[in-house]
Amino acid sequence: MTETDITSENMLEDRLVALTRDLMLIPSIPTRPEDRQRAFELIKNHLETLDHIDVREYEDNGIPSLVAVPKGVRKPKILMCGHIDVIAHPDVASYRSHIENGRIYGPGSGDMKGAVAILLEVFRMIHRQSSKASLGIAITSDEETGGESGIGFLVNKKGIRAHTAMIPDGGSLNQVTVEEKGILHVRVAYQGVSAHAARPWLGTNSLEHLMERLRELKASFHVMQSNHEGDDRWYPTCSVTMMETANQQINRIPSEASAVLDIRFPSPYTVRKIKKHVKEILGTEVHMDVIIGAEPTNLSPDKTYQKVIEEVTGQPTILARDDGGSDARFLSAHGIPVMISRPLVGNLHMVDEWIDIKSMVTFYKIYAEYLTRKLL
Ligand SMILES: [Zn+2]
């Protein structure tokens, strides 16, 4: 590298770090809509410096999102997607960042404000080079809570389309996601009969009844898991994540109880098949409401993208499966191929979440090179 290369690389690194940390300072969590709006203002400021770009703002169920595309372009060749919502932490003072060992630490660094900063910088770089580049960007704010009012709303209600999408919210620097598990979130409830706990035979204990049904459900998932060959855990899982009763009395048999299940499943399982299975095991007495039902996704990363990753990093590209789901499912449901990889990140959803700074620069170069080849 020449001296000018080094200087410009340092400047790029400084810009990416500063923008990431500015975004991280704003607690853009669902309970703070004003802060969420402030994060969008910051992003808009970055996009509005380009005059041939249309910045459109949307809102669904009070959840804001933004799409920026070149004027007159309805369906960009490439749409880059990111989200600025972060996981809620009990202490609002934890929304700060610090730099240590070449990493930015703090909530939202890895998921995904660091990546959003890269998207904004690379978007500006491409559009400064050519006002004809068919590149769009979509920023949403409900990925962590399901994505229905973010990418889901933009794609399903606003008809936002693209030839290809890029979402730096999964995989790793050399790891591109090719398959994601489906998601079924359900609330299940049972109505029993209340009684004094000294005479339990007079009532039907809803909590105990629900626990029994759920234990049976868990056992049925263990059967599916034990039938799976290999140790990649690419099988359906079922977790009871909440369980409640309105009862406040130690000596009362609760009349009602409910629980929330988080079920993940790979293809060829489908939402319909899994739902039918859960219903069958829980029985007709247990009422079931679906909160989220998302099919497993098969993504199709472009060969050029894989090649660019190898060229920039000097390492082979690994195609990997992801146990978690992402916003990609809304796009792939419309046949839009999605490419998912990201910088090096860790401790996601924790207060000490981090992103590696050097890998941010490398990732920027991957995007810059790929977009240059495809669009310029
Ligand atoms: Zn994310």
Side-chain angles (χ1 to χ4, degrees):
M1 269 199 293
T2 66
E3 215 166 294
T4 17
D5 283 345
I6 293 168
T7 324
S8 69
E9 185 158 324
N10 287 344
M11 279 164 63
L12 170 67
E13 184 179 308
D14 290 349
R15 276 206 310 280
L16 293 177
V17 170
L19 182 51
T20 303
R21 298 188 75 188
D22 284 350
L23 284 166
M24 285 172 70
L25 256 186
I26 308 171
S28 38
I29 50 178
T31 49
R32 299 175 75 89
E34 280 168 25
D35 278 324
R36 203 166 48 190
Q37 198 51 50
R38 225 150 52 80
F40 275 102
E41 293 302 323
L42 182 63
I43 288 168
K44 257 167 50 190
N45 290 351
H46 272 261
L47 298 171
E48 280 168 357
T49 50
L50 302 155
D51 3 294
H52 66 284
I53 297 297
D54 247 344
V55 180
R56 280 176 238 150
E57 289 176 84
Y58 299 90
E59 196 184 291
D60 182 46
N61 292 320
I63 294 166
S65 52
L66 167 161
V67 178
V69 283
K71 287 190 172 118
V73 172
R74 279 186 57 88
K75 183 179 173 183
K77 260 194 191 149
I78 297 176
L79 179 71
M80 304 187 294
C81 308
H83 68 85
I84 50 132
D85 54 311
V86 291
I87 289 286
H89 294 289
D91 183 7
V92 82
S94 54
Y95 294 93
R96 299 190 256 109
S97 68
H98 70 274
I99 293 182
E100 206 183 303
N101 304 324
R103 292 168 171 178
I104 308 173
Y105 280 91
S109 55
D111 186 12
M112 59 174 287
K113 287 177 170 172
V116 166
I118 296 169
L119 295 187
L120 292 171
E121 283 296 325
V122 88
F123 184 83
R124 290 208 300 187
M125 184 277 286
I126 292 289
H127 282 295
R128 284 232 166 89
Q129 290 199 49
S130 166
S131 57
K132 301 256 180 321
S134 186
L135 176 67
I137 187 169
I139 304 289
T140 60
S141 57
D142 77 333
E143 197 274 343
E144 303 294 0
T145 47
E148 297 283 344
S149 291
I151 283 288
F153 171 73
L154 294 178
V155 169
N156 296 327
K157 300 280 157 61
K158 291 288 150 193
I160 301 286
R161 294 288 181 275
H163 293 275
T164 303
M166 300 177 84
I167 308 183
D169 195 21
S172 189
L173 199 55
N174 282 81
Q175 194 173 304
V176 181
T177 306
V178 283
E179 215 179 325
E180 288 181 334
K181 279 186 184 175
I183 308 169
L184 183 65
H185 287 172
V186 289
R187 181 178 292 280
V188 292
Y190 181 77
Q191 183 68 46
V193 179
S194 169
H196 194 287
R199 286 177 287 279
W201 54 85
L202 294 179
T204 309
N205 191 323
S206 60
L207 208 47
E208 290 178 1
H209 183 89
L210 195 57
M211 275 160 57
E212 265 167 45
R213 302 315 309 156
L214 291 176
R215 193 160 299 146
E216 211 158 302
L217 182 67
K218 292 281 293 183
S220 75
F221 274 80
H222 287 144
V223 172
M224 288 187 235
Q225 291 163 5
S226 59
N227 289 337
H228 176 77
E229 280 166 28
D231 50 9
D232 57 0
R233 297 175 198 267
W234 199 245
Y235 48 50
T237 60
C238 172
S239 302
V240 179
T241 52
M242 291 181 211
M243 196 150 185
E244 304 184 298
T245 171
N247 186 31
Q248 298 284 329
Q249 302 293 324
I250 292 178
N251 61 2
R252 185 159 62 201
I253 302 284
S255 62
E256 58 204 63
S258 67
V260 174
L261 311 177
D262 183 326
I263 301 169
R264 306 292 171 125
F265 53 94
S267 115
Y269 292 99
T270 59
V271 171
R272 202 177 59 85
K273 271 191 215 162
I274 293 285
K275 222 161 74 182
K276 190 163 160 265
H277 174 80
V278 174
K279 266 203 171 127
E280 257 166 33
I281 304 281
L282 293 183
T284 47
E285 292 175 315
V286 176
H287 180 80
M288 183 169 117
D289 279 319
V290 173
I291 303 165
I292 292 176
E295 300 295 350
T297 46
N298 274 298
L299 308 163
S300 32
D302 182 356
K303 286 268 186 299
T304 311
Y305 186 58
Q306 298 174 43
K307 228 177 112 212
V308 168
I309 292 175
E310 287 178 11
E311 283 171 20
V312 174
T313 63
Q315 305 277 329
T317 305
I318 303 156
L319 301 179
R321 290 160 156 176
D322 199 333
D323 300 312
S326 77
D327 272 348
R329 61 194 163 91
F330 294 105
L331 295 149
S332 69
H334 287 275
I336 302 168
V338 184
M339 284 176 285
I340 300 180
S341 71
R342 68 175 158 206
L344 302 177
V345 296
N347 296 345
L348 297 187
H349 296 184
M350 316 282 255
V351 175
D352 61 347
E353 184 174 310
W354 56 264
I355 186 162
D356 178 271
I357 296 168
K358 285 279 172 268
S359 79
M360 290 173 76
V361 176
T362 308
F363 191 76
Y364 173 94
K365 288 183 187 164
I366 293 170
Y367 263 47
E369 181 57 30
Y370 177 73
L371 295 171
T372 302
R373 280 190 206 177
K374 285 283 171 177
L375 303 175
L376 297 183

